[in-house]
Amino acid sequence: GGTAGVLNTAKFSNITVVPLNKAPVITAAVVGDVSPVSFDGTVTDDNFPLPVSLTSQWSQIGGPDTIVFGNVSAADTTGAFTASGSYAVRLQASDSGVVSFRDLSFTAYSQPFAKWLDQNNVGNEANLLSEGNLDADGDGLVNLLEYAEGTNGTVRNSSPEVVELTSVSTEKYLRLSMPRNPAATDVVM
């Protein structure tokens, strides 16, 4: 025993210093805003406890529709859904001793046309078929055609289509030329 107020010394033998186990470090991002989106996750650890057993898992914590993950156990995966809106997901990681997580919130669209409707303020995706048949700006071009051709659905503009008679040898043919919106990957022309 020691005496109070007096410096005491102790001698130890066979001591092992074990580092503290730190929680896995997670970074995560959403790539894209049209279904399916990519989830880009990275999980790093301090390699404790031994043996190292690092696992990760994605889960949905909010949104208007169920996200179908490509592989919930992979740090990099995909997520598909059928309704546009605000979503929240979580990437959780465990090193068998400590669990950590990172939450992500994002807004995404079920398909490119739904994104165009929202960004042009000409409708919503409640019923894409009926929204596609509306003419929001009253220029005679329905929303779906404005989207497919790359024109603005809120500005009255003349039709970008070119109709002409073309001669081939001695015959005349009707030729219809339409511009194509490269972002309209969900429309076949």
Side-chain angles (χ1 to χ4, degrees):
T3 307
V6 176
L7 182 60
N8 295 296
T9 339
K11 187 176 188 180
F12 297 95
S13 59
N14 295 326
I15 291 184
T16 304
V17 177
V18 177
L20 292 176
N21 181 23
K22 296 177 185 168
V25 176
I26 301 170
T27 60
V30 178
V31 179
D33 61 0
V34 176
S35 180
V37 297
S38 295
F39 297 115
D40 182 12
T42 303
V43 178
T44 56
D45 192 48
D46 60 2
N47 294 325
F48 290 104
L50 294 173
V52 176
S53 174
L54 188 60
T55 60
S56 60
Q57 181 165 341
W58 287 96
S59 60
Q60 180 177 353
I61 54 178
D65 187 25
T66 299
I67 296 175
V68 177
F69 291 95
N71 180 350
V72 295
S73 299
D76 293 331
T77 191
T78 59
F81 42 86
T82 59
S84 300
S86 296
Y87 288 86
V89 294
R90 172 173 288 170
L91 177 55
Q92 180 174 300
S94 171
D95 66 2
S96 75
V98 181
V99 175
S100 59
F101 64 89
R102 172 79 57 184
D103 291 346
L104 292 173
S105 295
F106 63 98
T107 299
Y109 301 93
S110 63
Q111 54 188 285
F113 182 52
K115 179 179 176 178
W116 183 88
L117 286 170
D118 183 52
Q119 290 180 336
N120 286 279
N121 296 315
V122 294
N124 61 54
E125 82 167 278
N127 186 338
L128 290 177
L129 184 58
S130 67
E131 294 289 347
N133 289 322
L134 296 178
D135 181 9
D137 56 12
D139 61 6
L141 301 173
V142 295
N143 287 339
L144 186 58
L145 190 55
E146 298 239 26
Y147 165 65
E149 294 181 336
T151 57
N152 189 322
T154 60
V155 175
R156 292 178 137 241
N157 39 24
S158 60
S159 175
E161 301 157 12
V162 176
V163 179
E164 59 190 353
L165 282 177
T166 302
S167 296
V168 177
S169 195
T170 59
E171 301 292 320
K172 290 206 179 259
Y173 293 91
L174 180 64
R175 179 168 52 180
L176 173 64
S177 300
M178 301 172 66
R180 177 170 169 98
N181 176 3
T185 58
D186 51 342
V187 174
V188 178
M189 295 175 76

